[in-house]
């Protein structure tokens, strides 16, 4: 299970984000990108020592500052189901091709120019 696929599935679900500096952010995941930068909405921020709280309508967190993410179990189960369904469809799509699979651009197994009668390689007498 890849972390980015887990984050993409977790969109619009609640999550807890702890930063390397100790602050925590509770909110709903709105968006994420390939660098694990995330945007949360309806956020409650807790200070490092846990005695101060802030409520924000939204916040943006840089991925390199994240220590860990806590995601609900239902999201993890959804990712597992997606992986299983993708494996099933992949297996169904690969059945019945026979030997060799699809013919690629060059034809004849994509082995250079020409066909079976022109199999001398580079140079040589004609």
């Amino acid at each position: 299970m890849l972390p980015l696929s887990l984050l993409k599935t977790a969109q619009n679900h609640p999550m807890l984000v702890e930063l390397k500096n100790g602050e925590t952010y509770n909110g709903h995941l709105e968006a994420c990108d390939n660098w694990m930068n995330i945007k949360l909405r309806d956020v409650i921020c807790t200070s490092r020592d846990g005695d101060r709280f802030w409520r924000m309508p939204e916040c943006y967190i840089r991925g390199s500052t994240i220590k860990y993410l806590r995601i609900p179990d239902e999201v993890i189960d959804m990712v597992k189901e997606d992986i299983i369904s993708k494996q099933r469809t992949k297996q169904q799509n690969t059945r019945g091709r026979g030997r060799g699979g699809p013919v690629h651009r060059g034809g004849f197994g994509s082995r250079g120019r020409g066909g079976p009668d022109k199999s001398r390689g580079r140079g040589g007498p004609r």
Side-chain angles (χ1 to χ4, degrees):
M1 176 180 333
L2 297 173
L4 289 177
S5 65
L6 181 65
L7 274 179
K8 289 184 191 304
T9 306
Q11 286 184 350
N12 298 317
H13 286 85
M15 66 170 19
L16 177 134
V17 181
E18 183 172 337
L19 304 185
K20 292 177 182 177
N21 67 5
E23 292 179 350
T24 60
Y25 292 82
N26 283 297
H28 288 78
L29 180 64
E30 195 169 300
C32 65
D33 63 10
N34 291 339
W35 294 274
M36 215 177 282
N37 300 322
I38 60 174
K39 184 178 177 184
L40 297 174
R41 63 178 161 79
D42 303 326
V43 183
I44 297 175
C45 176
T46 306
S47 65
R48 178 188 310 193
D49 48 6
D51 63 348
R52 286 178 284 167
F53 301 93
W54 297 271
R55 183 173 291 254
M56 298 178 271
E58 63 181 17
C59 76
Y60 178 84
I61 300 173
R62 183 179 167 133
S64 63
T65 63
I66 295 173
K67 184 176 183 181
Y68 76 86
L69 303 166
R70 181 176 287 171
I71 298 172
D73 291 336
E74 64 186 34
V75 174
I76 295 171
D77 294 339
M78 289 169 52
V79 173
K80 288 178 183 177
E81 290 171 5
D82 286 345
I83 291 171
I84 291 171
S85 65
K86 285 180 183 177
Q87 287 175 349
R88 285 183 186 153
T89 57
K90 189 175 182 181
Q91 288 174 352
Q92 290 172 353
N93 291 340
T94 59
R95 289 189 188 142
R97 281 194 196 164
R99 286 185 64 197
V103 176
H104 298 288
R105 272 182 55 175
F108 301 109
S110 297
R111 293 191 172 238
R113 305 181 88 181
D117 58 328
K118 296 182 180 181
S119 59
R120 283 187 199 70
R122 303 182 96 201
R126 290 203 166 240

